[in-house]
Amino acid sequence: MEDPLDEELLSPVPGLIHRYPDRVVWLVSSVCAVYCRFCMRKRRVGCTEATGTGTRQAALAYIANHPEIRDVILSGGDPLLLEDDALEEILSGLRRIPHVEIIRIGTRTTVTLPERITTGLCRMLKKFHPIYVNTHFNHPKEITAASARACARLADAGIPLGNQTVLLKGINDDPQVMKRLMQLLLKIRVKPYYLHQMDLVRGTAHFRTSIDRGLQIMEGLRGHTSGLASPYYAIDLEGGKGKVPLLPEYVRRDDDSLLIRSYRGEVVRYRDVEKS
Ligand code: SF4
């Protein structure tokens, strides 16, 4: 599909996606440092999309008029492909809205253009805390000295870093590769956040893995390495229905007990409290 998550239908003003009650995604840029073959937003990314002043004002006005929005995620394209001044203007606009509690920035530049994370950029971002950055590493080989330095600069600016990984057949659909990626992310102060099942985007079928494979990878993480290294494995439901976490089956009910499987495969009976 062109737009498997129905983002266009959930867009009240150009560039804004309002899918969940208390947060919005704001597409502030339509360019990236590289164009990923698997991108779920490829219908827009790289196109000359109106991200001009008028569009930005309309997005800010929408956020200001919706007091339930407490979390704004800047995305794109890649927001860090904007000049510092343009980004600062957007952040200042958001900080003038009292109900916006947190601002998140989704960027792959930590991987694809680590030189973009300059001390000047970090100094500017620090003025708008609480700011969170979500990076996008898919393979341990993407963690280089340069990307580690970029993440260190952001972390030193007091910015919590999370990571989203896309599960890609033939690239990272292997429990050992995934475990190493998650461990190396923690070493560079990035907390694994999501492992995404591929969205059903046109031209990406060759990257799709089965859900069983994803669950097997999650089983290979939980218990076998620190809990900090386990992201949520999530599927984004078609039609804009939202993300749902997928979990290996650890728990089975047996009358008033639960049969719970450990990461080593032992089944332990756990007596639950009586239902009131
Ligand atoms: S950097 Fe992100 S938005 Fe840009 S092409 Fe890659 S996945 Fe898509």
Side-chain angles (χ1 to χ4, degrees):
M1 287 172 264
E2 288 289 325
D3 179 16
L5 309 181
D6 268 358
E7 291 186 332
E8 304 298 333
L9 288 176
L10 295 165
S11 179
V13 295
L16 215 62
I17 304 160
H18 196 175
R19 179 188 315 174
Y20 299 102
D22 70 342
R23 52 209 183 274
V24 286
V25 175
W26 185 4
L27 309 177
V28 291
S29 153
S30 57
V31 291
C32 299
V34 300
Y35 294 99
C36 309
R37 185 70 178 87
F38 52 80
C39 181
M40 71 89 166
R41 213 170 272 142
K42 60 172 67 177
R43 69 186 185 282
R44 296 174 72 112
V45 166
C47 302
T48 43
E49 156 87 6
T51 43
T53 316
T55 314
R56 285 189 190 148
Q57 288 312 324
L60 280 171
Y62 180 88
I63 296 168
N65 289 327
H66 286 78
E68 71 276 19
I69 298 172
R70 41 162 292 283
D71 178 359
V72 177
I73 300 151
L74 301 183
S75 186
D78 198 313
L80 295 192
L81 264 278
L82 293 174
E83 300 280 344
D84 286 2
D85 290 353
L87 190 58
E88 184 163 8
E89 211 178 295
I90 289 171
L91 293 170
S92 309
L94 287 172
R95 279 289 169 243
R96 279 195 288 272
I97 304 173
H99 54 263
V100 172
E101 294 174 5
I102 63 170
I103 301 171
R104 295 191 265 172
I105 298 176
T107 182
R108 193 152 150 71
T109 55
T110 44
V111 183
T112 55
L113 189 65
E115 309 86 309
R116 173 68 186 96
I117 314 298
T118 59
T119 44
L121 172 72
C122 294
R123 207 177 312 119
M124 183 273 282
L125 292 177
K126 268 171 87 165
K127 294 193 282 184
F128 300 99
H129 272 313
I131 295 259
Y132 290 73
V133 164
N134 257 322
T135 61
H136 179 166
F137 288 83
N138 290 326
H139 194 280
K141 285 186 182 167
E142 289 183 325
I143 301 179
T144 60
S147 59
R149 239 181 345 261
C151 292
R153 280 198 177 140
L154 290 166
D156 287 346
I159 298 172
L161 294 163
N163 184 69
Q164 317 215 34
T165 295
V166 181
L167 182 56
L168 298 166
K169 186 173 173 183
I171 308 290
N172 60 12
D173 61 335
D174 175 278
Q176 292 310 321
V177 170
M178 199 60 85
K179 186 161 80 178
R180 198 59 195 137
L181 170 62
M182 301 303 157
Q183 291 170 337
L184 290 177
L185 283 169
L186 289 177
K187 269 186 80 179
I188 61 168
R189 291 188 276 171
V190 178
K191 165 77 183 85
Y193 180 37
Y194 275 124
L195 171 62
H196 288 287
Q197 177 67 13
M198 281 279 315
D199 294 314
L200 305 177
V201 187
R202 194 164 104 180
T204 63
H206 55 297
F207 282 130
R208 279 184 73 205
T209 52
S210 65
I211 297 276
D212 278 350
R213 187 65 178 155
L215 291 172
Q216 209 180 6
I217 288 169
M218 289 309 293
E219 287 229 38
L221 293 173
R222 178 59 66 182
H224 299 276
T225 189
S226 1
L228 268 180
S230 291
Y232 291 106
Y233 174 37
I235 184 162
D236 225 327
L237 297 178
E238 275 175 52
K241 303 283 188 298
K243 285 190 193 68
V244 178
L246 300 169
L247 286 169
E249 212 170 302
Y250 290 112
V251 182
R252 221 161 18 94
R253 189 162 275 284
D254 183 39
D255 292 330
D256 58 351
S257 299
L258 300 169
L259 298 176
I260 305 182
R261 188 167 54 82
S262 78
Y263 78 95
R264 287 208 194 91
E266 306 136 313
V267 177
V268 178
R269 182 175 291 277
Y270 175 87
R271 266 178 294 281
D272 203 359
V273 288
E274 281 182 21
K275 284 185 195 142
S276 52

